[in-house]
Amino acid sequence: MLRIVVCVSGGGTNLQAILDAVDSGKITNTEVIAVISNNPGAKALTRAENHGIPAVCMSPKEYGDREAYNQALTDKMKELQPDLIVLAGFLVKIPEAMVAAFSGRIINIHPSLIPSFCGVGYYGLKVHEKALERGVKVTGATVHFVNEGMDEGPIIAQKAVEVLDDDTPEILQRRVMEQAEWILLPGAIDDIANGRLELVGGKVRKIQR
Ligand code: GAR
C-alpha cells in the first residue's frame, strides 16, 4: 500500500480528484494518510476532514522565519513517513532538506505545458492569465517529480488543452483542470502505487499499462 501525503493551499479540486479516484478504484494500492496546508482558509482542509483524513495546517506565519518553517515542515513529513508526497496546488517552495530526504518521492501538478509558463511567479490563475496574454492556442498541464528547482524536475506526463477565443483565465483554468489535471495526477499516483513508474538515476522510468 502506497501511503501518500497530499499538500494543498487552496480549493483542493486536485485533492478531491485523488480522493474520488481512490474511492472509485481508479487509484489502487493507495492510502491518503494526511493532508497538509499552509493556508488555514483552504477549502481543501474541509474536503480532507469530510473524508475522515487527518488535515494539518502549518502556516509560515506561525514560525519566526522561513528557516524555522522549512524545518518544521520537513520534520512533520519525516514524522508521517509517507511513501509519496503529492503537491496538489501547494504554493510553497519545497525546502531543499525535504527534497533530499524524499528524493524521487515528491510529485507536483503544474497547470501549463512545462517549460512554458512555469517557475517563480507562475502559480494558480496567474499561469492562465499569462498564457492568454501571450496568445497561445494550446496549453495544458504537467505532472513531474520535484527537485531543488522550481518546476524543473523530471517530467512524468503532460496533456495538451485547447485555448478558445473567448476564454477568461477562470474558464481556461477550469478546462485545464477537467481535461488534464484531474486525469494526470491520479494516473501518476496509480502508476507509482502499482510499480509502473519510478525515478531511476534522475530519469523517469515508466511501463505502459
Ligand atoms: C491547480 O491548477 C494546480 O495545478 C495549481 O494550482 C491549482 C490548485 O487548484 N498549481 C500550481 O500552480 C503550482 N505551481 P486546486 O486547489 O483546486 O487543486
Side-chain angles (χ1 to χ4, degrees):
M1 197 65 124
L2 188 82
R3 299 167 68 259
I4 68 174
V5 169
V6 184
C7 299
V8 294
S9 295
T13 64
N14 278 285
L15 167 67
Q16 192 66 54
I18 294 166
L19 297 175
D20 292 348
V22 170
D23 287 350
S24 71
K26 280 189 185 155
I27 297 178
T28 56
N29 267 334
T30 300
E31 183 191 359
V32 181
I33 59 166
V35 169
I36 293 185
S37 173
N38 61 315
N39 168 16
K43 192 177 165 196
L45 287 169
T46 318
R47 291 183 195 267
E49 279 157 9
N50 289 344
H51 229 84
I53 293 165
V56 184
C57 181
M58 296 179 72
S59 164
K61 290 182 190 139
E62 295 160 18
Y63 297 85
D65 55 25
R66 200 68 191 186
E67 207 175 314
Y69 177 69
N70 284 348
Q71 185 70 53
L73 191 61
T74 305
D75 288 349
K76 184 73 197 170
M77 275 311 167
K78 286 183 177 169
E79 181 193 313
L80 290 166
Q81 290 196 0
D83 300 313
L84 182 72
I85 298 168
V86 178
L87 310 182
F90 190 53
L91 307 182
V92 169
K93 171 104 171 70
I94 300 303
E96 274 186 25
M98 192 165 130
V99 174
F102 292 90
S103 173
R105 291 189 289 145
I106 310 177
I107 63 171
N108 178 49
I109 183 82
H110 183 78
S112 75
L113 294 173
I114 290 174
S116 290
F117 308 112
C118 65
V120 178
Y122 287 87
Y123 57 89
L125 204 58
K126 284 187 195 298
V127 177
H128 305 292
E129 285 168 4
K130 298 282 183 196
L132 289 176
E133 266 169 41
R134 187 62 187 82
V136 294
K137 304 301 174 202
V138 174
T139 184
T142 303
V143 59
H144 63 94
F145 283 103
V146 172
N147 65 9
E148 309 72 34
M150 186 71 114
D151 302 329
E152 287 174 6
I155 291 173
I156 296 168
Q158 295 186 298
K159 195 163 185 292
V161 174
E162 201 179 354
V163 180
L164 301 179
D165 284 348
D166 294 334
D167 276 348
T168 62
E170 290 80 5
I171 290 171
L172 183 57
Q173 178 181 51
R174 182 77 190 181
R175 189 179 312 115
V176 169
M177 285 174 162
E178 284 176 356
Q179 294 184 7
E181 296 186 44
W182 301 343
I183 299 163
L184 288 179
L185 192 55
I189 294 168
D190 187 53
D191 283 342
I192 292 170
N194 290 288
R196 291 187 297 265
L197 169 65
E198 60 182 336
L199 195 62
V200 183
K203 295 236 182 308
V204 174
R205 198 181 68 94
K206 194 170 172 201
I207 300 162
Q208 293 306 321
R209 291 166 193 244

